[in-house]
Amino acid sequence: MQDQLSALVTKAEAELPSLPTRPDVEAAKARYIGPKGELTGLMKQMGTVPKEERPAMGKLINQTQMALQALLDTALARIEANELAAQLGPAIDPTLPSPDPLPGTRHPLTLVREELNSILRKVGFTVVEGPEVETEYYCFDALNTPVDHPARDAQDTFYLPPEATFPNVAKKVPNEKYLLRTHTSSVQIRTMLKGEPPIRMVSPGRVYRRDTVDATHSANFHQMEGLYVDKNVTVSDLKALLDYVLKSLLGADTKVRFRPHYFGYTEPSFEVDLSAKHLPKVNKEWVEIMGCGMVDPAVFDDVGYDSSVWSGYAFGMGIERIAMMMYGIDDIRYFYQNDLRFLRQFS
Ligand code: DAH
């Protein structure tokens, strides 16, 4: 019986690798291991095997069955692979030049971001990136934004489920929550915790807020954060920098004004309005464009900078808002639809 079992496997090894179609494999399966198949036939001879040899024989039968099943599986997988290859057609050479090379254009948000980066690099700012998944500490606590501040409300912020883990974004405080950053101001904190002043950095990137989507709002947009820390920094340094940045970007006729405002991480704080009537479709005299202020001493205390020695300013602007003014775009949703008719207008 032992010989018959191994002969059966040998026969299958010779036959199955050349079966051409699925029905052939099905038929072979019935012949080898089906209820009326050869293996079942051999199993029926168990009664004639002496009692003490039965366990060993049983084991051999099992092994034979597994070997036959594996050969059938391999035959089926080979046929499936052939079918797929037939569907895919002849192999493609990915190194051939494209017959229709569509010249790409830069996305308008990329154009504005790169222009801003380059304007700020000229005056010594370094471009820094931070994670889009943040912890409450970097997004709020360290920015002097207490737990009862409305910006932290689940109505305004996308929190991640408590079981979510992000090995690359270490929690600072036990049990704090992960969230999609609501602003790029979190990168200020990351930068200050990494090194000593003086600091001059900007951080462009994507931010997320719960918001209804309409022509001027999106739950996901882009900001550029700036931070300058040194000795004897004043509001007039801040005003001069923003004048320089906005005039370089939008033209010498651009006017900039500060309005008092409140942000937890700056004191005093301002909202910045732009007047740029020379731009297309700008029909309001003043358009609110960003927030800014002098870094609050509480923020310095939190990152371990001596606030009696160091001073600084910070600002944060929406890139979409600026791009909309620059290019006369009246609906924010155009930025995210990837409609080539829109995108090809920028180069
Ligand atoms: N984080 C603010 C926002 O998202 C913008 C902002 C305001 C950034 C004042 C700053 C600042 O650095 O000082 O609306």
Side-chain angles (χ1 to χ4, degrees):
M1 183 167 168
Q2 210 164 332
D3 293 345
Q4 287 170 302
L5 286 170
S6 67
L8 189 60
V9 174
T10 311
K11 186 162 87 168
E13 277 168 353
E15 183 192 0
L16 298 182
S18 55
L19 290 180
T21 66
R22 286 170 192 257
D24 293 323
V25 176
E26 284 306 313
K29 183 174 178 180
R31 271 187 282 114
Y32 281 97
I33 58 174
K36 295 192 178 135
E38 291 192 50
L39 184 66
T40 318
L42 289 173
M43 277 154 73
K44 287 187 183 140
Q45 297 176 20
M46 268 294 246
T48 67
V49 174
K51 209 172 173 191
E52 59 282 4
E53 287 174 27
R54 280 185 201 165
M57 199 53 74
K59 201 170 160 194
L60 202 61
I61 287 176
N62 275 341
Q63 285 167 351
T64 307
Q65 172 150 25
M66 271 152 59
L68 292 171
Q69 185 64 56
L71 288 165
L72 288 161
D73 290 345
T74 310
L76 195 61
R78 175 181 45 78
I79 291 167
E80 280 170 0
N82 288 345
E83 285 173 356
L84 185 65
Q87 277 171 17
L88 290 174
I92 299 167
D93 178 356
T95 63
L96 283 178
S98 161
D100 178 19
L102 286 174
T105 52
R106 294 257 169 112
H107 194 279
L109 295 176
T110 305
L111 290 173
V112 175
R113 186 191 69 223
E114 291 187 346
E115 183 69 26
L116 279 167
N117 285 350
S118 124
I119 291 169
L120 282 149
R121 275 202 190 97
K122 282 187 198 150
V123 286
F125 283 75
T126 308
V127 180
V128 183
E129 290 201 356
E132 288 177 28
V133 169
E134 260 303 358
T135 75
E136 288 179 287
Y137 173 80
Y138 293 102
C139 203
F140 300 128
D141 299 323
L143 286 160
N144 199 31
T145 306
V147 249
D148 56 356
H149 192 282
R152 296 179 73 135
D153 200 288
Q155 298 286 331
D156 292 297
T157 301
F158 294 104
Y159 289 95
L160 287 135
E163 63 275 16
T165 51
F166 295 90
N168 296 334
V169 186
K171 289 191 177 177
K172 259 310 246 197
V173 179
N175 297 326
E176 65 170 331
K177 283 181 275 194
Y178 283 116
L179 47 95
L180 296 178
R181 66 178 176 192
T182 57
H183 52 183
T184 40
S185 304
S186 50
V187 189
Q188 284 186 23
I189 303 300
R190 292 188 170 274
T191 309
M192 286 193 277
L193 285 174
K194 266 194 204 127
E196 292 296 308
I199 286 178
R200 236 182 271 211
M201 68 107 206
V202 278
S203 183
R206 209 182 266 272
V207 299
Y208 303 82
R209 291 181 193 177
R210 282 185 186 272
D211 219 333
T212 42
V213 178
D214 62 23
T216 54
H217 293 88
S218 164
N220 157 214
F221 59 102
H222 298 77
Q223 280 190 336
M224 161 110 39
E225 181 77 15
L227 173 71
Y228 176 35
V229 183
D230 208 331
K231 291 180 177 153
N232 305 320
V233 182
T234 65
V235 174
S236 67
D237 295 326
L238 169 59
K239 179 75 169 35
L241 179 92
L242 295 180
D243 269 344
Y244 156 74
V245 171
L246 295 167
K247 281 178 200 273
S248 309
L249 187 70
L250 304 173
D253 293 339
T254 309
K255 284 186 276 190
V256 178
R257 79 174 180 192
F258 280 20
R259 267 183 298 107
H261 197 72
Y262 173 80
F263 296 105
Y265 28 100
T266 41
E267 179 58 35
S269 301
F270 310 97
E271 269 191 335
V272 180
D273 295 336
L274 256 186
S275 165
K277 292 227 70 180
H278 55 282
L279 294 175
K281 295 203 193 163
V282 173
N283 38 32
K284 275 206 290 188
E285 174 68 34
W286 294 102
V287 183
E288 191 250 300
I289 203 80
M290 69 168 101
C292 68
M294 304 305 291
V295 180
D296 194 301
V299 175
F300 284 147
D301 293 345
D302 218 275
V303 297
Y305 286 5
D306 183 345
S307 55
S308 68
V309 176
W310 300 107
S311 48
Y313 60 66
F315 56 89
M317 63 183 104
I319 297 184
E320 275 82 348
R321 183 87 51 98
I322 294 182
M324 286 169 85
M325 281 183 78
M326 266 174 86
Y327 298 116
I329 297 165
D330 47 22
D331 194 322
I332 198 169
R333 291 167 288 196
Y334 284 126
F335 289 124
Y336 316 120
Q337 287 162 345
N338 287 336
D339 185 330
L340 289 178
R341 290 168 303 179
F342 172 74
L343 296 176
R344 286 200 180 123
Q345 297 177 58
F346 306 91
S347 52

